[in-house]
Amino acid sequence: MEPPVLDVRNLSIEYRTSRGIVRAVDGVSFSVPKGAIVGLVGESGCGKTTVARSITGVLHQSARIAGGELVFKGKDLVAAPAKEWLEKRWRDISFIPQSAMNSLDPVYRIGAQLEEVLVHRGGRTRAEARSRSSELFDMVGLNPARLDEYPHQFSGGMRQRVAIALALALNPGLVIADEPVTALDVIVQRQILDVIRDLQRKLSLSMILVTHDISVVAYVSDKIVVMYAGRVVETGSTADVLERPRHPYMMGLTNAFPDLDTAAHDLVPIDGSPPDLASPPSGCRFAPRCPFLLPRCETDDPASAAMGEGRSVACHRAPEADDLRARAKESATWLPA
Amino acid sequence: MATGLSATTPLVEARGLTKRFAPPARLTDMFRKERPHTHAVNKVDLTISRGESIGLLGESGCGKTTTGRLLLKLIEPSAGDILFDGTAVAGLAGPSLIDFRKRAQLVFQNPFDALNPRFTIERALAEPLVNTGVERATHRDRVEKALSQVRLPPLARFEGLFPHQLSGGQLQRIVLARALVLEPDFIVADEPVSMLDVSVRAGVLNVMREVRASLGLAALYISHDLALVRYVCSRTLVMYLGRIVEEGPTEDLLKSPLHPYTRALMKAVPVPRVDQSRDPLPIIGNVSDARGQPKGCSFRDRCPLAIARCADDEPALRSVAPGRRVACHLV
Ligand SMILES: Nc1ncnc2c1ncn2[C@@H]1O[C@H](COP(=O)(O)OP(=O)(O)OP(=O)(O)O)[C@@H](O)[C@H]1O
Ligand code: SF4
Ligand SMILES: [Mg+2]
């Protein structure tokens, strides 16, 4: 089997805040297979963006990598000199930040912004850059005749396409997209996801797609990494995780989600909310909300354990997952005690 | 205001409701003819009965929020009429306006913005009562009642707490309770759960369903989320560029969408399952220009079925089956 493009190993990241040190990412591990789209999902504040930014080397200045490795194409980026990492950006690893569509410079024509990246970071000549820009516009479904327009002349969805074109400009080995469709309407969202899927197949892109929306992941990604309160709780192929969740948090989410296709069943919320990362509970971080907790869950941290091919789960009761899943389908299970 | 002309009078009725906004001024306009106004809401007719929950569905910028604000008289229409319980809203002033404000409430989209961060939860809940001059002796009871309606613990549990000390789900329920303390007949909820995480969203949606059932409250839920509308609303209106293009009982509309726009919308909704259709959407292009078309159907540029007539004639919203209305020449 081909080695993964990226192997995140036991990554921890801390923020310095007025309330002390917040460990926003705590021992996160997952890998990105070559040519795959990996969906990194979880609720607001669980640490998705922090992980994404760390890989691209653009962490906030109050953050620091407290441990772990980011092995990109066989080489650990964390241990590498900062300069080397910086060079990887754009060329090898490109980033589409959260709200990328608002990050275009309003005073320059869009084509000029693309050419800028191609010439200054990619070492292309002006003429090459011009033709590559047209090619990129074509690729993301924009009319190259509009390269000379300004960002305000583009709709949100079109600007998001430009952000994707920018990220692809230098044929990176890995693209990281943080909530690439979140601010968009469903129709535009679907069109952008189609562009992403299409490009992945044509260019065999390796990609991490960060989103809070499980439906987005279900639509485009091959593999899913579920985060909860700074940890990875479950990973596996998208189909397997969605159809047979093995972590109680994922089981709970399945009930909480309104679904258009299934009958209008009653939605069942997961009582409570994620823990404050400044003072996380000892033991399992989901324990305060988990209907299946055992006494040991509140004291022992469940390690992430491999469960079959490409599958890992961090729950003491993962071996009983099939039973728990059946119980999780009943709303009474989730009623607050 | 006189209440309840008769039980059959709709609670809210809008006819030909229109709101135009002037385009933002630009320097280059000095050399141009006047640019067209944006028709944020264009000749909208709708009725909402007592106790009925209606969904208003559409893309951002299509005029959903403007419609809600017009119905609550937070802004004035450019044309058209709104009747609330049989009385024209346009003419309300003084005491009758205050009465209307008590009976028709807005639930904000973002619970984190809706409450003043420097006010305690207790004060935030009592504020609407103070503002509308409700007798002080009744405040405590009303607040407790509203809290129990949204399934929150009694006021004592929130003593001295400020908004930032509550979770998003709790806050959104406080925002809802704040609308309920005035015992309204009608609420407009603008994207009421879009800021909440999935794991807590379901709790708030359940409360909304219960409140409607137990209080007989009429509601307009504004959303771009079809699944939410389905969960809470018995009837749904679909809006495109300021026009209602389709209306029907929610389940019928989902099962057999008739307008080409509604059909594309249904297909575009993502579902949390792997086995789903990935066929191209039946819609053209990716730009929606909120200015719309000077004549003809506002959807025609993106419609895969458009015929010559669509460019000239504006399709009227007409009844095609019991309870179902569609604005399309081909239906
Ligand atoms: N610059 C910062 N300083 C201090 N704490 C931060 C900073 N940025 C993020 N955090 C904290 O780190 C945690 C993870 O944040 P992160 O932005 O990675 O979450 P996320 O999963 O991307 O959330 P969302 O879905 O809301 O984008 C949160 O508790 C957040 O409050
Ligand atoms: S480890 Fe225990 S508390 Fe945590 S998810 Fe599993 S059963 Fe629940
Ligand atoms: Mg984020």
Side-chain angles (χ1 to χ4, degrees), chain B:
Chain B
M1 182 178 358
T3 42
L5 285 182
S6 90
T8 52
T9 323
L11 184 65
V12 182
E13 189 171 5
R15 286 194 222 113
L17 197 59
T18 299
K19 180 70 183 177
R20 287 181 289 267
F21 290 113
R26 282 201 210 135
L27 203 57
T28 49
D29 289 351
M30 288 197 310
F31 310 106
R32 260 193 233 153
K33 280 207 226 111
E34 204 181 320
R35 291 194 298 146
H37 283 228
T38 302
H39 273 82
V41 174
N42 199 353
K43 290 176 263 176
V44 162
D45 295 335
L46 62 83
T47 58
I48 305 174
S49 308
R50 276 155 235 283
E52 190 184 26
S53 277
I54 303 245
L56 184 59
L57 199 71
E59 292 171 276
S60 70
C62 77
K64 304 187 296 290
T65 295
T66 307
T67 304
R69 297 174 66 80
L70 287 168
L71 294 180
L72 294 178
K73 198 176 165 64
L74 297 173
I75 51 176
E76 296 299 327
S78 313
D81 302 303
I82 301 163
L83 300 179
F84 185 80
D85 212 355
T87 307
V89 164
L92 298 178
S96 65
L97 182 59
I98 291 181
D99 190 42
F100 171 73
R101 294 259 176 262
K102 285 189 206 165
R103 296 181 64 195
Q105 288 285 313
L106 179 65
V107 176
F108 285 94
Q109 172 168 15
N110 185 346
F112 305 94
D113 288 346
L115 301 173
N116 186 329
R118 287 187 307 271
F119 285 7
T120 60
I121 296 298
E122 195 174 352
R123 179 159 173 203
L125 286 166
E127 200 194 11
L129 298 167
V130 175
N131 290 349
T132 50
V134 173
E135 201 189 333
R136 199 161 272 278
T138 67
H139 287 192
R140 181 99 196 177
D141 280 355
R142 284 192 183 225
V143 167
E144 293 289 12
K145 195 166 134 208
L147 284 172
S148 83
Q149 279 159 355
V150 300
R151 295 204 163 196
L152 281 173
L155 193 55
R157 281 274 289 280
F158 297 101
E159 210 160 315
L161 292 186
F162 288 89
H164 74 268
Q165 291 166 303
L166 268 55
S167 72
Q170 286 173 322
L171 269 189
Q172 190 55 287
R173 288 183 215 206
I174 295 284
V175 171
L176 188 59
R178 197 167 176 267
L180 296 179
V181 289
L182 290 167
E183 300 173 352
D185 300 318
F186 175 52
I187 58 169
V188 171
D190 195 350
E191 301 279 7
V193 294
S194 63
M195 301 298 289
L196 301 179
D197 279 317
V198 188
S199 75
V200 292
R201 198 179 277 191
V204 173
L205 289 177
N206 285 338
V207 162
M208 292 195 162
R209 282 219 304 202
E210 279 170 27
V211 162
R212 183 199 69 201
S214 63
L215 304 184
L217 196 64
L220 181 76
Y221 289 99
I222 296 174
S223 180
H224 67 279
D225 185 343
L226 218 51
L228 178 156
V229 162
R230 180 192 188 189
Y231 195 60
V232 192
C233 305
S234 50
R235 196 153 57 90
T236 296
L237 308 172
V238 181
M239 203 166 189
Y240 185 78
L241 295 187
R243 310 289 318 259
I244 304 288
V245 296
E246 180 158 7
E247 173 184 349
T250 308
E251 289 300 320
D252 291 0
L253 202 120
L254 280 168
K255 260 185 226 110
S256 56
L258 295 173
H259 194 281
Y261 173 65
T262 318
R263 282 191 223 159
L265 201 60
M266 300 291 169
K267 284 229 166 74
V269 174
V271 293
R273 285 186 296 101
V274 178
D275 57 324
Q276 55 179 303
S277 160
R278 290 179 176 80
D279 297 340
L281 290 181
I283 194 163
I284 299 165
N286 51 53
V287 211
S288 53
D289 179 351
R291 242 164 284 141
Q293 308 291 347
K295 60 176 187 164
C297 172
S298 58
F299 186 58
R300 67 165 198 266
D301 282 351
R302 301 178 76 192
C303 183
L305 307 175
I307 52 173
R309 187 177 165 202
C310 305
D312 302 322
D313 284 359
E314 186 176 304
L317 185 63
R318 50 180 229 295
S319 186
V320 293
R324 295 201 66 170
R325 294 194 297 164
V326 184
C328 172
H329 292 309
L330 298 178
V331 180

Side-chain angles (χ1 to χ4, degrees), chain A residues 233 246-249 283-294 296-298 300-302 314-318 324:
Chain A
V233 291
R246 288 176 167 271
H247 193 282
Y249 172 62
C284 173
R285 292 191 171 179
F286 189 58
R289 304 174 78 188
C290 182
F292 304 125
L293 90 164
L294 302 173
R296 65 185 283 223
C297 301
E298 290 175 300
D300 295 359
D301 223 346
C315 167
H316 291 308
R317 303 191 69 176
L324 300 186

